[in-house]
């Protein structure tokens, strides 16, 4: 059945790329700004163990939540392709299926929080003080699991439908509430790490409820509805599971690399752990900014694939690459210039400030090294080429670990940062080598 709502124009222009990427930039930037706000609030506490606890706790939830990031990425690609094919019922059903999976996984994570916590803290080593506070963070934050994963599904659906302004509204709402609560709970009530975790849980619940309300209103407006036989269609569920399975494996490889990076920093002491965490906020800001162009590529490429339009695909890739590369260069130069000032804003600890300045050039190089893998991720997600993404990430993880093994012993934390940059480059190169097969799979419309 064709949609009752006309899909966005197939024509890709600079303006259309920016209209998609712009709101997503603002949406994405609110997330690392939340991390920076947490660092700034916790950084007022003289003991660096609190910063280390936030870093370790955040890394655990990178595993626990980001590992299920396929709920955002897979939903975007499948929804965009259904939109391009003008299949209204399937656009609607993609959200329903994703929400069902999100709630089921989230409840399972709450039930399994004991073994998850034991495994996580066995892998991530820190001082006794850091570990104790990170345990408190974990015990509170895990209760937001169903709502966090539902937010992934809702965000992916709105991006796939090219409703970037709605995605912006949801993210800004969630992170604005989170920042306000964290400042209140930490600076006013003195709850420290527990305050950050509590504020995050409340904000994620509020955002999920708002997202469901907006999606329900949207569906009602265009006359779409959910039918259980369609939601549980074996073929559609099978395709969704296959796509999401490969993206999940790919994401766990990615999160393992960053968890390994954090763990190795923790083994070097609380000061280096805190310094790497501060610099990690710069990388997070850069990644979320540059991911906006990857998100735009997901929506545009997915619609092109759904419509079987090779010319539009080529233009979408070209224009998103131009804008992403320019933004990455600007970020690298900006971090080199403003990095010392930003470090001082995030921590008052003199040893942490000094260590962060030492490794700042590596963090500044990250945006331009990483932008190409972010963009290619978006292209492959939009095309739902999840097998290639999985294989490329597994190979890149091997390259990262080999680089660390060769460089960490002679160069210490410098070697660890160098391995991270090599990891970004390996991800881009492996996906670029596979891109021609994506382009060839799309028939040229009208030929």
């Amino acid at each position: 059945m064709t949609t009752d709502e006309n899909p966005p124009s197939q024509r890709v222009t600079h303006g259309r790329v920016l209209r998609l990427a712009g709101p997503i930039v603002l949406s994405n930037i609110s997330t690392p700004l939340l991390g920076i706000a947490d660092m700034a609030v916790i950084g007022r506490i003289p003991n660096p163990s609190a910063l280390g606890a936030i870093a370790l706790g955040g890394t655990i939830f990178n595993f626990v939540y980001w590992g299920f990031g396929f709920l955002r990425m897979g939903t975007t690609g499948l929804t965009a392709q259904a939109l391009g094919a003008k299949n209204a019922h399937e656009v609607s059903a993609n959200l329903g299926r994703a929400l069902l999976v999100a709630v089921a996984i989230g409840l399972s994570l709450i039930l399994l929080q004991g073994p998850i916590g034991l495994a996580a803290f066995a892998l991530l080593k820190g001082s006794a003080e850091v570990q104790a506070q990170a345990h408190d963070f974990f015990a509170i934050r895990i209760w937001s699991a169903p709502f966090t994963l539902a937010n992934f599904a809702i965000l992916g659906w709105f991006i796939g439908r090219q409703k970037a302004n709605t995605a912006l509204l949801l993210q800004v709402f969630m992170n604005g509430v989170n920042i306000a609560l964290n400042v209140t709970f930490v600076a006013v009530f003195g709850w420290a790490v527990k305050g950050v975790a509590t504020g995050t849980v409340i904000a994620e619940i509020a955002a999920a409820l708002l997202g469901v309300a907006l999606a329900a209103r949207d569906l009602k407006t265009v006359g779409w509805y959910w039918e259980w036989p369609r939601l549980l269609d074996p073929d559609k569920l099978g395709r969704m599971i296959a796509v999401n399975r490969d993206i999940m494996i790919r994401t766990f490889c990615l999160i393992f690399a960053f968890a390994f990076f954090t763990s190795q920093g923790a083994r070097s002491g609380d000061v280096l752990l805190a310094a790497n965490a501060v610099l990690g906020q710069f990388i997070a800001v850069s990644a979320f900014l540059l991911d906006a162009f990857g998100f735009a590529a997901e929506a545009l490429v997915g619609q092109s694939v759904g419509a079987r339009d090779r010319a539009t695909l080529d233009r979408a890739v070209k224009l998103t690459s131009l804008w992403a590369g320019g933004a990455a260069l600007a970020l690298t130069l900006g971090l080199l210039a403003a990095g010392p000032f930003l470090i001082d804003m995030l921590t008052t600890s003199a040893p942490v400030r000094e260590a962060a300045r030492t490794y700042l050039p590596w963090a500044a190089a990250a945006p331009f090294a990483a932008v190409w893998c972010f963009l290619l991720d978006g292209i492959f997600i939009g095309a739902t080429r999840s097998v290639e993404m999985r294989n490329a990430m597994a190979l890149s993880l091997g390259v990262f670990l080999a680089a660390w093994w060769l460089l960490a012993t002679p160069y210490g934390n410098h070697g660890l940062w160098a391995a991270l940059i090599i990891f970004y480059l390996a991800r881009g190169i492996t996906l670029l080598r596979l891109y021609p097969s994506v382009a060839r799979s799309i028939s040229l419309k009208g030929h």
Side-chain angles (χ1 to χ4, degrees), residues 53-78:
I54 292 294
L56 283 185
T59 298
I60 290 170
F61 284 100
N62 285 348
F63 265 113
V64 175
Y65 291 158
W66 287 9
F68 299 103
F70 60 77
L71 287 165
R72 205 284 303 160
M73 292 179 279
T75 304
T76 297
L78 293 170

Side-chain angles (χ1 to χ4, degrees), residues 101-111 142 145-146 149:
V101 173
V103 172
I105 294 174
L107 293 175
S108 299
L109 291 175
I110 290 174
L111 292 174
I142 190 66
L149 300 184

Side-chain angles (χ1 to χ4, degrees), residues 298-443:
E298 290 176 29
L300 295 172
V301 168
Q303 189 180 3
S304 301
V305 170
R308 308 300 298 171
D309 190 340
R310 169 68 182 274
T312 302
L313 170 73
D314 292 341
R315 184 158 178 80
V317 170
K318 177 182 177 180
L319 294 190
T320 51
S321 298
L322 286 172
W323 283 103
L329 181 59
L331 283 168
T332 288
L333 296 176
L335 284 175
L336 286 173
F341 170 75
L342 296 173
I343 289 168
D344 291 348
M345 286 183 62
L346 294 182
T347 178
T348 58
S349 169
V352 174
R353 284 178 170 180
E354 181 181 357
R357 281 178 166 79
T358 299
Y359 301 103
L360 174 62
W362 291 112
F368 198 73
V371 65
W372 314 112
C373 65
F374 297 162
L375 184 66
L376 284 158
D377 277 346
I379 292 167
F380 277 74
I381 288 168
T384 59
R385 300 292 289 264
S386 55
V387 173
E388 290 91 335
M389 290 181 67
R390 178 199 66 196
N391 295 343
M393 181 61 74
L395 178 58
S396 299
L397 177 60
V399 171
F400 167 67
L401 294 174
W404 167 81
W405 185 76
L406 291 171
L407 299 173
T409 299
Y411 301 109
N413 203 46
H414 282 293
L416 181 62
W417 276 96
L420 182 65
I421 298 298
I422 291 170
F423 178 55
Y424 283 133
L425 296 173
R427 289 173 56 195
I429 291 169
T430 51
L431 286 175
L432 184 62
R433 287 175 57 87
L434 295 170
Y435 173 72
S437 67
V438 175
R440 286 194 300 267
S441 69
I442 310 297
S443 60

